[in-house]
Amino acid sequence: MSKNNHPFLSKKLPPDWTAMQGKFLKTDILIAIKEAKDNFKKIKSQKKLTYNNCIKAYENAEINLARAWNYANHLDSVNDNPQLRKAMNAVLPTVTKFLSSSTLDAKLWRQIKKYSQSCEAKKLKGNKAAALREIVN
């Protein structure tokens, strides 16, 4: 997927704000949600859980969705326009539903809990231990 065709998913810094138009938002958000769902599916399918394939993967699962949605909200706050506002209103229920569902995914949380009780998890130190605590608590 070319990020040029998906401006809200671009990782280019500084962002190309002029390319981020309302007409691209829905597609970019739906792509990011599908990617996040696939990332969660990978966590749920892991047989041998590690910090990287569970906790770090969980932390990064929604990163592109968060970036795209943050870009849209930033643009809305500094350059309110009807096209973007309409696109945001159209996709808001989908974003909300997805973000709510990921916190209620029992299989995902069983995996995280299982990892948190592992020998590896109990030996974590520093930032990794803090990340685990933040997710589990």
Side-chain angles (χ1 to χ4, degrees):
M1 160 185 48
S2 169
K3 299 295 183 183
N4 294 335
N5 299 329
H6 300 285
F8 287 94
L9 298 176
S10 176
K11 296 176 184 175
K12 178 183 160 194
L13 292 176
D16 184 357
W17 299 109
T18 60
M20 294 181 204
Q21 301 171 26
K23 66 184 179 183
F24 299 117
L25 183 62
K26 182 177 181 181
T27 300
D28 287 3
I29 291 294
L30 293 177
I31 289 169
I33 287 174
K34 182 186 181 320
E35 180 184 86
K37 285 179 179 179
D38 290 347
N39 291 339
F40 286 141
K41 194 180 289 185
K42 286 178 194 170
I43 296 168
K44 293 187 285 189
S45 70
Q46 294 296 330
K47 301 295 182 212
K48 181 173 171 30
L49 295 168
T50 66
Y51 179 84
N52 286 337
N53 72 20
C54 185
I55 302 307
K56 187 171 181 125
Y58 177 81
E59 286 183 317
N60 292 326
E62 299 171 341
I63 199 162
N64 289 331
L65 174 59
R67 181 184 308 107
W69 195 240
N70 286 338
Y71 284 166
N73 279 284
H74 173 73
L75 278 173
D76 184 52
S77 70
V78 299
N79 186 24
D80 182 33
N81 72 68
Q83 182 195 44
L84 182 60
R85 191 175 334 108
K86 183 177 178 183
M88 289 182 70
N89 287 339
V91 79
L92 178 61
T94 305
V95 172
T96 302
K97 181 179 178 184
F98 172 73
L99 293 175
S100 298
S101 70
S102 64
T103 60
L104 301 173
D105 187 326
K107 188 171 182 182
L108 178 63
W109 289 104
R110 276 194 301 275
Q111 287 287 80
I112 291 170
K113 183 175 181 181
K114 182 178 173 183
Y115 175 76
S116 74
Q117 296 169 343
S118 71
C119 291
E120 178 185 306
K122 291 177 182 178
K123 295 176 184 174
L124 293 176
K125 303 276 188 232
N127 291 339
K128 288 182 177 182
L132 176 60
R133 276 193 310 276
E134 185 176 321
I135 291 168
V136 173
N137 298 329

